[in-house]
Amino acid sequence: GCFVLRTIEDAESVRDFVDSRSRALGRPLRGVVIGGGQHGIETAAALDDAGIGATIVQYTDRLLPSLLDEAAADVLRGALEERGIAVRTRTRTTRLDPDDSGAVTALEFQDGTFQRADLVVFTVGVRPRDELARNAGLDVHPQGGVIVDDRCTTSDPRILAIGEAACVDGRCVDAAASAYAMAEVAAARLLGGGERFGGHRRDVHRTIAGVDLACFGEPATRDADPDA
């Protein structure tokens, strides 16, 4: 009853489990999505559309923390709750409890509370696989990812890193558009060009769970530099 959702095969596995488990229990299932990013919200909406009671569990204080400030996140949360999707923020899952058959039956949280669940989907993103770079002595960010500059160059000028393995400006790449842009820079570099990576894409314009969403710029203000 616990799944990740990255491929068509994953989606088919979830669908097959829902069909068999709902027949076995004789009632609609209760689903929990761990992770309140775009993927998590869309997954919760898909579960809701399939007649599964859906709850989003998010560790940070709001949904889409890398895109939305508190006010915008509250609007999105209200829209989700209005359609029947529950949202729990500031919540860390510490344990999954199985029933006698081994299927998930509940989640326990760090604050001591728990929630019944028949289906759990993890949409918690990716972690950079930087073992090779780390073992080779390249500079690696403490939170993971091979540190590169805007030319995709690592601490060894003969080695480039791009995509989800790379960390630029203290942040790992988590969007396909940024990864593709880095690939273009790396390809140009190998052909003798001087292209540079223009930074992470923060603009988003799409519909998520029936909510029209447009974001650009930083989600939180920063103190101004008096010397700037």
Side-chain angles (χ1 to χ4, degrees), residues 166-195:
C167 177
V168 57
D169 294 332
R171 176 185 167 195
C172 287
V173 175
D174 57 1
S178 296
Y180 293 151
M182 295 181 79
E184 294 286 349
V185 171
R189 287 282 313 284
L190 295 174
L191 295 174
E195 281 78 355

PDB file of all heavy atoms in Angstrom, residues 166-195:
ATOM      1  N   ALA A 166      23.801  18.077  -9.741  1.00  0.00           N
ATOM      2  CA  ALA A 166      24.551  19.322  -9.566  1.00  0.00           C
ATOM      3  C   ALA A 166      23.884  20.243  -8.548  1.00  0.00           C
ATOM      4  O   ALA A 166      22.673  20.192  -8.328  1.00  0.00           O
ATOM      5  CB  ALA A 166      24.685  20.038 -10.906  1.00  0.00           C
ATOM      6  N   CYS A 167      24.696  21.090  -7.942  1.00  0.00           N
ATOM      7  CA  CYS A 167      24.218  22.104  -7.001  1.00  0.00           C
ATOM      8  C   CYS A 167      24.801  23.444  -7.420  1.00  0.00           C
ATOM      9  O   CYS A 167      26.021  23.611  -7.450  1.00  0.00           O
ATOM     10  CB  CYS A 167      24.655  21.744  -5.579  1.00  0.00           C
ATOM     11  SG  CYS A 167      24.188  22.959  -4.320  1.00  0.00           S
ATOM     12  N   VAL A 168      23.953  24.386  -7.762  1.00  0.00           N
ATOM     13  CA  VAL A 168      24.400  25.698  -8.202  1.00  0.00           C
ATOM     14  C   VAL A 168      23.725  26.759  -7.347  1.00  0.00           C
ATOM     15  O   VAL A 168      22.531  26.673  -7.063  1.00  0.00           O
ATOM     16  CB  VAL A 168      24.104  25.921  -9.706  1.00  0.00           C
ATOM     17  CG1 VAL A 168      22.637  25.756 -10.013  1.00  0.00           C
ATOM     18  CG2 VAL A 168      24.613  27.268 -10.179  1.00  0.00           C
ATOM     19  N   ASP A 169      24.497  27.731  -6.908  1.00  0.00           N
ATOM     20  CA  ASP A 169      23.988  28.784  -6.017  1.00  0.00           C
ATOM     21  C   ASP A 169      23.375  28.201  -4.747  1.00  0.00           C
ATOM     22  O   ASP A 169      22.393  28.722  -4.202  1.00  0.00           O
ATOM     23  CB  ASP A 169      22.954  29.655  -6.733  1.00  0.00           C
ATOM     24  CG  ASP A 169      23.559  30.470  -7.869  1.00  0.00           C
ATOM     25  OD1 ASP A 169      24.759  30.777  -7.786  1.00  0.00           O
ATOM     26  OD2 ASP A 169      22.834  30.780  -8.836  1.00  0.00           O
ATOM     27  N   GLY A 170      23.951  27.099  -4.265  1.00  0.00           N
ATOM     28  CA  GLY A 170      23.492  26.505  -3.027  1.00  0.00           C
ATOM     29  C   GLY A 170      22.201  25.721  -3.120  1.00  0.00           C
ATOM     30  O   GLY A 170      21.641  25.312  -2.112  1.00  0.00           O
ATOM     31  N   ARG A 171      21.748  25.467  -4.326  1.00  0.00           N
ATOM     32  CA  ARG A 171      20.473  24.770  -4.502  1.00  0.00           C
ATOM     33  C   ARG A 171      20.609  23.716  -5.594  1.00  0.00           C
ATOM     34  O   ARG A 171      21.190  23.965  -6.642  1.00  0.00           O
ATOM     35  CB  ARG A 171      19.381  25.765  -4.883  1.00  0.00           C
ATOM     36  CG  ARG A 171      18.042  25.138  -5.186  1.00  0.00           C
ATOM     37  CD  ARG A 171      17.059  26.173  -5.681  1.00  0.00           C
ATOM     38  NE  ARG A 171      15.870  25.556  -6.261  1.00  0.00           N
ATOM     39  CZ  ARG A 171      14.996  26.193  -7.020  1.00  0.00           C
ATOM     40  NH1 ARG A 171      15.163  27.465  -7.282  1.00  0.00           N
ATOM     41  NH2 ARG A 171      13.949  25.565  -7.509  1.00  0.00           N
ATOM     42  N   CYS A 172      20.081  22.529  -5.321  1.00  0.00           N
ATOM     43  CA  CYS A 172      20.116  21.475  -6.321  1.00  0.00           C
ATOM     44  C   CYS A 172      19.037  21.708  -7.376  1.00  0.00           C
ATOM     45  O   CYS A 172      18.014  22.343  -7.114  1.00  0.00           O
ATOM     46  CB  CYS A 172      19.919  20.114  -5.660  1.00  0.00           C
ATOM     47  SG  CYS A 172      21.354  19.553  -4.725  1.00  0.00           S
ATOM     48  N   VAL A 173      19.287  21.190  -8.552  1.00  0.00           N
ATOM     49  CA  VAL A 173      18.347  21.340  -9.653  1.00  0.00           C
ATOM     50  C   VAL A 173      17.184  20.377  -9.441  1.00  0.00           C
ATOM     51  O   VAL A 173      17.380  19.177  -9.245  1.00  0.00           O
ATOM     52  CB  VAL A 173      19.050  21.043 -10.992  1.00  0.00           C
ATOM     53  CG1 VAL A 173      18.053  21.088 -12.141  1.00  0.00           C
ATOM     54  CG2 VAL A 173      20.165  22.047 -11.226  1.00  0.00           C
ATOM     55  N   ASP A 174      15.958  20.888  -9.470  1.00  0.00           N
ATOM     56  CA  ASP A 174      14.789  20.050  -9.223  1.00  0.00           C
ATOM     57  C   ASP A 174      13.715  20.239 -10.284  1.00  0.00           C
ATOM     58  O   ASP A 174      12.565  19.873 -10.078  1.00  0.00           O
ATOM     59  CB  ASP A 174      14.207  20.327  -7.840  1.00  0.00           C
ATOM     60  CG  ASP A 174      13.821  21.785  -7.643  1.00  0.00           C
ATOM     61  OD1 ASP A 174      13.984  22.574  -8.593  1.00  0.00           O
ATOM     62  OD2 ASP A 174      13.362  22.139  -6.540  1.00  0.00           O
ATOM     63  N   ALA A 175      14.083  20.827 -11.421  1.00  0.00           N
ATOM     64  CA  ALA A 175      13.114  21.048 -12.491  1.00  0.00           C
ATOM     65  C   ALA A 175      13.742  20.691 -13.829  1.00  0.00           C
ATOM     66  O   ALA A 175      14.931  20.940 -14.060  1.00  0.00           O
ATOM     67  CB  ALA A 175      12.650  22.509 -12.512  1.00  0.00           C
ATOM     68  N   ALA A 176      12.944  20.096 -14.702  1.00  0.00           N
ATOM     69  CA  ALA A 176      13.466  19.658 -15.988  1.00  0.00           C
ATOM     70  C   ALA A 176      13.997  20.827 -16.813  1.00  0.00           C
ATOM     71  O   ALA A 176      15.030  20.701 -17.485  1.00  0.00           O
ATOM     72  CB  ALA A 176      12.370  18.921 -16.762  1.00  0.00           C
ATOM     73  N   ALA A 177      13.315  21.981 -16.761  1.00  0.00           N
ATOM     74  CA  ALA A 177      13.751  23.121 -17.574  1.00  0.00           C
ATOM     75  C   ALA A 177      15.165  23.555 -17.204  1.00  0.00           C
ATOM     76  O   ALA A 177      15.988  23.843 -18.080  1.00  0.00           O
ATOM     77  CB  ALA A 177      12.779  24.282 -17.397  1.00  0.00           C
ATOM     78  N   SER A 178      15.468  23.594 -15.920  1.00  0.00           N
ATOM     79  CA  SER A 178      16.812  23.976 -15.484  1.00  0.00           C
ATOM     80  C   SER A 178      17.836  22.928 -15.894  1.00  0.00           C
ATOM     81  O   SER A 178      18.955  23.254 -16.304  1.00  0.00           O
ATOM     82  CB  SER A 178      16.841  24.167 -13.969  1.00  0.00           C
ATOM     83  OG  SER A 178      16.013  25.230 -13.569  1.00  0.00           O
ATOM     84  N   ALA A 179      17.461  21.653 -15.781  1.00  0.00           N
ATOM     85  CA  ALA A 179      18.383  20.585 -16.170  1.00  0.00           C
ATOM     86  C   ALA A 179      18.693  20.653 -17.665  1.00  0.00           C
ATOM     87  O   ALA A 179      19.852  20.495 -18.082  1.00  0.00           O
ATOM     88  CB  ALA A 179      17.791  19.231 -15.808  1.00  0.00           C
ATOM     89  N   TYR A 180      17.672  20.901 -18.480  1.00  0.00           N
ATOM     90  CA  TYR A 180      17.896  21.026 -19.921  1.00  0.00           C
ATOM     91  C   TYR A 180      18.799  22.219 -20.236  1.00  0.00           C
ATOM     92  O   TYR A 180      19.670  22.148 -21.112  1.00  0.00           O
ATOM     93  CB  TYR A 180      16.560  21.193 -20.654  1.00  0.00           C
ATOM     94  CG  TYR A 180      15.670  19.979 -20.609  1.00  0.00           C
ATOM     95  CD1 TYR A 180      14.285  20.117 -20.662  1.00  0.00           C
ATOM     96  CD2 TYR A 180      16.199  18.695 -20.514  1.00  0.00           C
ATOM     97  CE1 TYR A 180      13.452  19.018 -20.616  1.00  0.00           C
ATOM     98  CE2 TYR A 180      15.379  17.586 -20.470  1.00  0.00           C
ATOM     99  CZ  TYR A 180      14.007  17.752 -20.517  1.00  0.00           C
ATOM    100  OH  TYR A 180      13.185  16.659 -20.475  1.00  0.00           O
ATOM    101  N   ALA A 181      18.591  23.332 -19.522  1.00  0.00           N
ATOM    102  CA  ALA A 181      19.416  24.518 -19.750  1.00  0.00           C
ATOM    103  C   ALA A 181      20.874  24.227 -19.405  1.00  0.00           C
ATOM    104  O   ALA A 181      21.796  24.655 -20.109  1.00  0.00           O
ATOM    105  CB  ALA A 181      18.885  25.685 -18.925  1.00  0.00           C
ATOM    106  N   MET A 182      21.108  23.495 -18.318  1.00  0.00           N
ATOM    107  CA  MET A 182      22.477  23.133 -17.954  1.00  0.00           C
ATOM    108  C   MET A 182      23.091  22.201 -18.996  1.00  0.00           C
ATOM    109  O   MET A 182      24.282  22.295 -19.303  1.00  0.00           O
ATOM    110  CB  MET A 182      22.496  22.471 -16.580  1.00  0.00           C
ATOM    111  CG  MET A 182      22.081  23.384 -15.450  1.00  0.00           C
ATOM    112  SD  MET A 182      22.158  22.570 -13.838  1.00  0.00           S
ATOM    113  CE  MET A 182      23.927  22.670 -13.510  1.00  0.00           C
ATOM    114  N   ALA A 183      22.291  21.304 -19.546  1.00  0.00           N
ATOM    115  CA  ALA A 183      22.793  20.412 -20.584  1.00  0.00           C
ATOM    116  C   ALA A 183      23.242  21.195 -21.815  1.00  0.00           C
ATOM    117  O   ALA A 183      24.265  20.880 -22.435  1.00  0.00           O
ATOM    118  CB  ALA A 183      21.717  19.392 -20.962  1.00  0.00           C
ATOM    119  N   GLU A 184      22.498  22.236 -22.169  1.00  0.00           N
ATOM    120  CA  GLU A 184      22.875  23.078 -23.297  1.00  0.00           C
ATOM    121  C   GLU A 184      24.201  23.780 -23.029  1.00  0.00           C
ATOM    122  O   GLU A 184      25.059  23.900 -23.905  1.00  0.00           O
ATOM    123  CB  GLU A 184      21.774  24.107 -23.573  1.00  0.00           C
ATOM    124  CG  GLU A 184      20.453  23.523 -24.047  1.00  0.00           C
ATOM    125  CD  GLU A 184      20.520  23.049 -25.490  1.00  0.00           C
ATOM    126  OE1 GLU A 184      21.522  23.366 -26.176  1.00  0.00           O
ATOM    127  OE2 GLU A 184      19.587  22.354 -25.919  1.00  0.00           O
ATOM    128  N   VAL A 185      24.366  24.265 -21.791  1.00  0.00           N
ATOM    129  CA  VAL A 185      25.615  24.934 -21.420  1.00  0.00           C
ATOM    130  C   VAL A 185      26.783  23.959 -21.509  1.00  0.00           C
ATOM    131  O   VAL A 185      27.844  24.270 -22.071  1.00  0.00           O
ATOM    132  CB  VAL A 185      25.510  25.527 -20.004  1.00  0.00           C
ATOM    133  CG1 VAL A 185      26.876  26.041 -19.529  1.00  0.00           C
ATOM    134  CG2 VAL A 185      24.493  26.653 -19.977  1.00  0.00           C
ATOM    135  N   ALA A 186      26.591  22.763 -20.960  1.00  0.00           N
ATOM    136  CA  ALA A 186      27.673  21.775 -20.975  1.00  0.00           C
ATOM    137  C   ALA A 186      28.040  21.374 -22.398  1.00  0.00           C
ATOM    138  O   ALA A 186      29.229  21.252 -22.739  1.00  0.00           O
ATOM    139  CB  ALA A 186      27.262  20.551 -20.162  1.00  0.00           C
ATOM    140  N   ALA A 187      27.022  21.169 -23.245  1.00  0.00           N
ATOM    141  CA  ALA A 187      27.296  20.796 -24.635  1.00  0.00           C
ATOM    142  C   ALA A 187      28.069  21.903 -25.347  1.00  0.00           C
ATOM    143  O   ALA A 187      29.029  21.639 -26.093  1.00  0.00           O
ATOM    144  CB  ALA A 187      25.984  20.505 -25.360  1.00  0.00           C
ATOM    145  N   ALA A 188      27.662  23.151 -25.117  1.00  0.00           N
ATOM    146  CA  ALA A 188      28.373  24.273 -25.733  1.00  0.00           C
ATOM    147  C   ALA A 188      29.811  24.357 -25.231  1.00  0.00           C
ATOM    148  O   ALA A 188      30.733  24.645 -26.002  1.00  0.00           O
ATOM    149  CB  ALA A 188      27.627  25.570 -25.444  1.00  0.00           C
ATOM    150  N   ARG A 189      30.007  24.130 -23.946  1.00  0.00           N
ATOM    151  CA  ARG A 189      31.357  24.153 -23.384  1.00  0.00           C
ATOM    152  C   ARG A 189      32.243  23.111 -24.055  1.00  0.00           C
ATOM    153  O   ARG A 189      33.402  23.378 -24.391  1.00  0.00           O
ATOM    154  CB  ARG A 189      31.301  23.863 -21.879  1.00  0.00           C
ATOM    155  CG  ARG A 189      30.753  24.987 -21.012  1.00  0.00           C
ATOM    156  CD  ARG A 189      31.780  26.085 -20.784  1.00  0.00           C
ATOM    157  NE  ARG A 189      33.083  25.556 -20.398  1.00  0.00           N
ATOM    158  CZ  ARG A 189      33.395  25.088 -19.186  1.00  0.00           C
ATOM    159  NH1 ARG A 189      32.479  25.079 -18.236  1.00  0.00           N
ATOM    160  NH2 ARG A 189      34.603  24.650 -18.937  1.00  0.00           N
ATOM    161  N   LEU A 190      31.712  21.919 -24.243  1.00  0.00           N
ATOM    162  CA  LEU A 190      32.502  20.853 -24.866  1.00  0.00           C
ATOM    163  C   LEU A 190      32.860  21.188 -26.307  1.00  0.00           C
ATOM    164  O   LEU A 190      33.843  20.665 -26.846  1.00  0.00           O
ATOM    165  CB  LEU A 190      31.727  19.534 -24.819  1.00  0.00           C
ATOM    166  CG  LEU A 190      31.478  18.961 -23.411  1.00  0.00           C
ATOM    167  CD1 LEU A 190      30.581  17.735 -23.485  1.00  0.00           C
ATOM    168  CD2 LEU A 190      32.807  18.609 -22.740  1.00  0.00           C
ATOM    169  N   LEU A 191      32.076  22.053 -26.927  1.00  0.00           N
ATOM    170  CA  LEU A 191      32.350  22.473 -28.311  1.00  0.00           C
ATOM    171  C   LEU A 191      33.108  23.784 -28.369  1.00  0.00           C
ATOM    172  O   LEU A 191      33.253  24.371 -29.446  1.00  0.00           O
ATOM    173  CB  LEU A 191      31.025  22.606 -29.073  1.00  0.00           C
ATOM    174  CG  LEU A 191      30.238  21.305 -29.263  1.00  0.00           C
ATOM    175  CD1 LEU A 191      28.883  21.573 -29.898  1.00  0.00           C
ATOM    176  CD2 LEU A 191      31.045  20.323 -30.117  1.00  0.00           C
ATOM    177  N   GLY A 192      33.586  24.255 -27.215  1.00  0.00           N
ATOM    178  CA  GLY A 192      34.401  25.456 -27.190  1.00  0.00           C
ATOM    179  C   GLY A 192      33.658  26.746 -26.962  1.00  0.00           C
ATOM    180  O   GLY A 192      34.249  27.828 -27.021  1.00  0.00           O
ATOM    181  N   GLY A 193      32.352  26.681 -26.692  1.00  0.00           N
ATOM    182  CA  GLY A 193      31.568  27.891 -26.472  1.00  0.00           C
ATOM    183  C   GLY A 193      31.711  28.427 -25.059  1.00  0.00           C
ATOM    184  O   GLY A 193      32.309  27.794 -24.184  1.00  0.00           O
ATOM    185  N   GLY A 194      31.133  29.586 -24.823  1.00  0.00           N
ATOM    186  CA  GLY A 194      31.241  30.228 -23.518  1.00  0.00           C
ATOM    187  C   GLY A 194      29.911  30.467 -22.844  1.00  0.00           C
ATOM    188  O   GLY A 194      29.788  31.361 -22.008  1.00  0.00           O
ATOM    189  N   GLU A 195      28.899  29.673 -23.178  1.00  0.00           N
ATOM    190  CA  GLU A 195      27.573  29.855 -22.592  1.00  0.00           C
ATOM    191  C   GLU A 195      27.607  29.679 -21.072  1.00  0.00           C
ATOM    192  O   GLU A 195      28.453  28.970 -20.537  1.00  0.00           O
ATOM    193  CB  GLU A 195      26.579  28.871 -23.202  1.00  0.00           C
ATOM    194  CG  GLU A 195      26.065  29.266 -24.569  1.00  0.00           C
ATOM    195  CD  GLU A 195      27.055  28.984 -25.678  1.00  0.00           C
ATOM    196  OE1 GLU A 195      28.179  28.569 -25.354  1.00  0.00           O
ATOM    197  OE2 GLU A 195      26.694  29.183 -26.850  1.00  0.00           O
TER     198      GLU A 195
END
